[in-house]
Amino acid sequence: MLIEIKDLRKTYAMGDNLVKALQGVSLKIGAGEFVAIMGPSGSGKSTLMHVLGLLDTPDSGSYKLLGEEVSKLSENKLAELRRSTIGFVFQQFNLLTRTSALENVALPLIYGHSSARAADPRQLLEQVGLGSRLDHKPNELSGGQQQRVAIARSLVHNPHILFADEPTGNLDSKSQGEIMHIFKTLNEQGITIVLVTHEVEIAEYAKRVIKMRDGAVVSDIEKPSNKSVSRSIAVPENHALRGSAGPDKFSFRDSLSEFFQHFKQAWRSLAANKVRTGLSMLGILIGVGSVIAMLALGTGAKESLEKQLSSMGSNLLAVRPGSSRSGGVALQSGDVTRFTMEDARQMRSDIPNVVRTSPSVSGRGQIVFGNKNWNTQVQGTSPDYAPMRASVPDLGRFFSETENTQRSRVAVVGRTIVREVFNGKSPIGEMIKINKVNFQVIGVLPEKGANTFRDQDDLVIVPVETAMKRLFGKEYVDNIDVEVVDQQSMESVQEQIKQLVIRSHRLPPSQQDSFQIRNMADIQSALSETSKTMTWLLGSIAFVSLMVGGIGIMNIMLVSVTERTREIGLRKAVGATQNDILSQFLIEAVVVSVAGGVCGIVLGCGISFVLSSVAGWTTAVSAQSVLVSVLFSLAVGVGFGLWPARKAAALHPIDALRYE
Ligand code: ADP
């Protein structure tokens, strides 16, 4: 027996009222039958059909389909039966809007990889007389034509049984005739047909008429003339149940093509709501864009810092007047130990492990060359400055010790000066005025780039003796840089310098902190700590914006699930499993977030390009940050898409189909 039901009961709770839709229905339907279920409205016909079509579950009673008890089957098994054994035709057609007739018919083929028995959708449409309407969308078809598309769809997996719930209820009488003719032909081809109708003319087509009232069968009449025909058809082999009772054989190719199908479906529904898709992408786009841009800024800052640190030279100590403990508070002149050129010489000659020393003074200077006027920083140093601070000129030369002691008026200029004062031309040999004193340019400093505070190339270096005596009128140097032979000796040298200064300046204990010795390595590590903190800070801001973007996607997905509840119901009715629905919605979320992510990467690169070319900041987009962004947006898609997708997947087919 194809269908065998015993004592089926179903009760709906309507507020306080209990509506007994089915009150103990028992029936048997054999293969090849053509059954019409009739009865007044509210008699339980549709409820019975939904139970038979595996769209709904009864409260109690037994339903055996092809000899198997349905209530014992798993959700996936039920989906497979809906797909392969059963075809369902609804009164409202339930076609996907904005989707062509052909694609509507092919919809069930997306689900289920056992397509061996599948029919050709094109042929089916031709069979129902719509061969010339393949590309028409439902809104371009009449009611009768839409129902024919729906019938073709129900036939695509070559089902054994066709359930039709008032299939002609919404149609005019001409279409009614055409539809019924199709059913009759199908039945003659061996398909069992069970249809609900309340019209006597429709029931005329059937070979057996079951009448219901108040949830129970009141009469069951078989037309004698057809009896022999119906009995002559053999029960179909129940391979749908037995054939794949074990776990599904699932090859990689199948899953790939299934993924592609889901992707296509997801893409289609995203494309159907372009504005909404765009808006939900925007969140991720901005998030990823800011991640990229901020990380680029952070990395750029770090790189320029590193460059700067290396240009500072290594193993350097800086000796300066003033207390390290007094912070920004100015000390009285008596409390400050001032240094002379002699101090620098002494440090070099008296302390082992000191390689070089470079005393320096600095101040502002007005440069005049031709009609150009430029205010810049002027630094007086000794010749040792060049190798110590990575400042060996790449054009021309640095000044010599002789030039220093002779207070020669020679200058080495930075790149910015070359650009601004000399229009980019080589300045070697040119005469310039610095604070009204004539100098000859003898070299150009290597480019160091700008840091956060100032342009390091906006600088003129002159011999320290010249600067002190001819330019600034200073007797003391501002600081002394000391290069130590290696990192290990830094601390001992620092201590020795301290003792030397105390000795040579005869400092009493109360004034022993009237000067400070700073270790560049400390400064370097402090600076790189700062840049790390900055990167973290920027990164976390970007992270928050990504989260916000993700929540945006979740929001839209939830709306989309609610809005497409009926569509989900239909997909389940034609055989989609929970996993199918889950995949489809998940893919949608991931496509949105990854597409947003990719656009965000472009945006982020754009922003950092603009920042570096317009604002002059150093930025560096790292491959790492791009990879992290892609992975992150993927994770956001999966993370925030999962809940809506699960919500969609968990919907019960009939509840989803009834959703208004
Ligand atoms: P028919 O198809 O014969 O018109 P139905 O099977 O649709 O009858 O309905 C049988 C009874 O169950 C009706 O009284 C109807 O109001 C009730 N009913 C059907 N579906 C629901 C539902 N989802 N919730 C509450 N009551 C329902």
Side-chain angles (χ1 to χ4, degrees):
M1 213 20 80
L2 205 54
I3 288 174
E4 201 171 347
I5 56 175
K6 251 191 219 131
D7 202 25
L8 275 193
R9 286 170 194 276
K10 176 98 190 168
T11 307
Y12 293 108
M14 291 275 282
D16 290 342
N17 275 5
L18 288 181
V19 181
K20 292 184 172 169
L22 295 180
Q23 311 196 50
V25 179
S26 303
L27 279 180
K28 283 182 186 170
I29 298 173
E33 287 199 56
F34 191 157
V35 184
I37 299 177
M38 297 192 71
S41 177
S43 56
K45 309 180 294 290
S46 298
T47 307
L48 178 64
M49 284 294 270
H50 293 149
V51 170
L52 290 178
L54 305 177
L55 300 177
D56 206 352
T57 44
D59 296 336
S60 67
S62 139
Y63 173 16
K64 281 187 182 157
L65 180 62
L66 294 160
E68 291 260 348
E69 183 59 50
V70 165
S71 60
K72 297 207 178 89
L73 299 175
S74 69
E75 185 61 38
N76 279 354
K77 192 77 226 175
L78 289 176
E80 195 188 323
L81 285 172
R82 283 182 210 122
R83 186 167 66 225
S84 57
T85 308
I86 292 173
F88 212 106
V89 179
F90 303 89
Q91 182 175 357
Q92 295 89 351
F93 327 134
N94 282 334
L95 299 179
L96 291 185
T97 50
R98 290 184 287 239
T99 307
S100 72
L102 189 63
E103 283 166 314
N104 261 300
V105 174
L107 179 71
L109 295 178
I110 297 171
Y111 308 111
H113 20 276
S114 56
S115 50
R117 287 203 313 145
D120 177 14
R122 222 172 268 273
Q123 251 172 17
L124 284 174
L125 275 171
E126 258 156 41
Q127 267 176 36
V128 295
L130 289 177
S132 57
R133 299 273 194 286
L134 299 181
D135 295 325
H136 287 229
K137 310 245 159 72
N139 59 351
E140 298 159 349
L141 295 170
S142 72
Q145 288 170 331
Q146 289 188 51
Q147 192 60 300
R148 280 190 266 165
V149 173
I151 293 173
R153 180 182 62 196
S154 71
L155 293 173
V156 79
H157 273 300
N158 277 321
H160 299 310
I161 319 161
L162 211 55
F163 293 106
D165 190 359
E166 304 222 26
T168 57
N170 286 359
L171 303 179
D172 58 89
S173 51
K174 180 166 169 284
S175 307
Q176 264 184 10
E178 288 165 2
I179 297 292
M180 289 319 294
H181 180 73
I182 293 173
F183 279 123
K184 193 160 171 262
T185 318
L186 288 171
N187 181 244
E188 280 161 9
Q189 288 166 2
I191 297 178
T192 310
I193 290 178
V194 181
L195 66 80
V196 161
T197 182
H198 52 250
E199 290 177 65
V200 182
E201 311 90 80
I202 301 295
E204 279 298 305
Y205 287 87
K207 300 171 190 165
R208 177 180 166 194
V209 177
I210 297 173
K211 287 201 172 144
M212 290 184 70
R213 181 176 288 274
D214 298 333
V217 175
V218 288
S219 75
D220 186 346
I221 299 162
E222 217 160 328
K223 291 185 190 162
S225 58
N226 290 326
K227 204 169 171 176
S228 58
V229 183
S230 76
R231 290 290 174 263
S232 69
I233 294 169
V235 175
E237 224 184 292
N238 50 358
H239 64 97
L241 283 167
R242 300 266 159 75
S244 49
D248 280 345
K249 279 196 215 79
F250 211 33
S251 76
F252 177 70
R253 249 187 84 207
D254 282 340
S255 49
L256 200 71
S257 84
E258 201 168 283
F259 172 81
F260 180 71
Q261 288 294 349
H262 289 317
F263 184 83
K264 222 169 109 183
Q265 295 293 310
W267 185 258
R268 183 183 287 281
S269 79
L270 289 176
N273 286 302
K274 288 193 188 67
V275 174
R276 186 197 288 180
T277 307
L279 284 176
S280 52
M281 253 167 62
L282 207 58
I284 290 291
L285 191 148
I286 292 171
V288 168
S290 52
V291 168
I292 298 276
M294 290 194 176
L295 286 183
L297 260 183
T299 321
K302 214 170 109 202
E303 272 174 19
S304 77
L305 199 69
E306 271 161 11
K307 208 168 125 199
Q308 216 175 299
L309 291 176
S310 69
S311 74
M312 269 170 142
S314 52
N315 305 341
L316 287 188
L317 293 172
V319 185
R320 290 185 188 188
S323 164
S324 52
R325 277 181 235 152
S326 62
V329 182
L331 295 166
Q332 287 177 358
S333 58
D335 294 342
V336 176
T337 300
R338 295 183 179 280
F339 297 102
T340 59
M341 296 294 291
E342 184 50 31
D343 284 310
R345 262 188 287 277
Q346 238 180 13
M347 285 173 200
R348 181 168 180 183
S349 56
D350 292 7
I351 302 172
N353 290 339
V354 167
V355 186
R356 287 183 272 244
T357 58
S358 162
S360 61
V361 292
S362 64
R364 302 300 298 179
Q366 192 72 25
I367 295 182
V368 180
F369 174 71
N371 58 356
K372 291 275 170 100
N373 240 306
W374 184 254
N375 191 284
T376 186
Q377 192 191 359
V378 180
Q379 196 165 0
T381 66
S382 74
D384 279 341
Y385 178 91
M388 280 170 74
R389 302 292 290 264
S391 296
V392 178
D394 40 32
L395 197 65
R397 61 177 183 92
F398 215 75
F399 46 81
S400 64
E401 190 52 48
T402 329
E403 281 167 320
N404 187 20
T405 44
Q406 288 176 354
R407 294 171 199 165
S408 298
R409 286 168 301 190
V410 287
V412 185
V413 297
R415 291 277 166 185
T416 304
I417 310 284
V418 175
R419 200 171 53 243
E420 299 292 340
V421 179
F422 298 99
N423 290 330
K425 296 194 195 81
S426 166
I428 309 293
E430 298 289 355
M431 296 301 290
I432 54 169
K433 276 190 183 356
I434 305 174
N435 289 356
K436 303 205 176 89
V437 181
N438 277 321
F439 278 83
Q440 184 176 30
V441 180
I442 57 168
V444 176
L445 293 167
E447 182 146 21
K448 295 205 170 181
N451 66 16
T452 337
F453 311 106
R454 64 184 180 88
D455 176 4
Q456 300 185 92
D457 297 317
D458 189 2
L459 173 77
V460 175
I461 295 182
V462 298
V464 60
E465 299 273 9
T466 317
M468 286 165 77
K469 302 288 155 24
R470 294 187 194 267
L471 283 180
F472 302 132
K474 286 184 179 177
E475 289 185 36
Y476 298 100
V477 297
D478 293 338
N479 71 321
I480 303 173
D481 286 343
V482 179
E483 187 181 332
V484 183
V485 68
D486 54 25
Q487 197 73 39
Q488 287 78 27
S489 329
M490 293 286 271
E491 267 180 43
S492 75
V493 170
Q494 197 167 343
E495 187 53 34
Q496 288 172 51
I497 291 176
K498 193 176 167 193
Q499 296 309 328
L500 177 76
V501 173
I502 290 172
R503 241 185 303 125
S504 62
H505 288 253
R506 297 193 186 83
L507 293 178
S510 64
Q511 280 188 22
Q512 288 187 357
D513 61 348
S514 60
F515 65 98
Q516 48 171 316
I517 306 170
R518 295 217 285 171
N519 187 334
M520 287 296 185
D522 294 347
I523 301 175
Q524 292 181 0
S525 68
L527 280 176
S528 49
E529 246 348 273
T530 314
S531 89
K532 234 184 257 168
T533 316
M534 275 295 280
T535 310
W536 271 107
L537 194 76
L538 295 177
S540 45
I541 293 172
F543 177 80
V544 168
S545 55
L546 263 183
M547 281 293 140
V548 174
I551 293 169
I553 288 194
M554 182 159 68
N555 230 332
I556 297 289
M557 291 306 295
L558 281 173
V559 171
S560 166
V561 167
T562 313
E563 192 188 77
R564 285 155 60 196
T565 304
R566 281 179 69 103
E567 181 196 317
I568 295 166
L570 172 76
R571 286 177 187 272
K572 288 202 146 184
V574 300
T577 60
Q578 292 207 358
N579 269 341
D580 290 327
I581 303 290
L582 189 81
S583 313
Q584 186 191 332
F585 277 84
L586 209 52
I587 289 171
E588 256 179 57
V590 169
V591 165
V592 169
S593 62
V594 170
V598 170
C599 296
I601 289 170
V602 174
L603 179 78
C605 293
I607 290 176
S608 45
F609 178 74
V610 169
L611 281 182
S612 66
S613 59
V614 177
W617 294 356
T618 320
T619 59
V621 177
S622 65
Q624 232 173 340
S625 66
V626 170
L627 192 73
V628 166
S629 307
V630 169
L631 290 181
F632 215 89
S633 45
L634 195 76
V636 164
V638 173
F640 288 95
L642 203 58
W643 182 40
R646 285 177 69 123
K647 208 177 141 192
L651 287 172
H652 208 270
I654 194 64
D655 294 337
L657 274 170
R658 280 211 200 98
Y659 187 84
E660 292 299 331

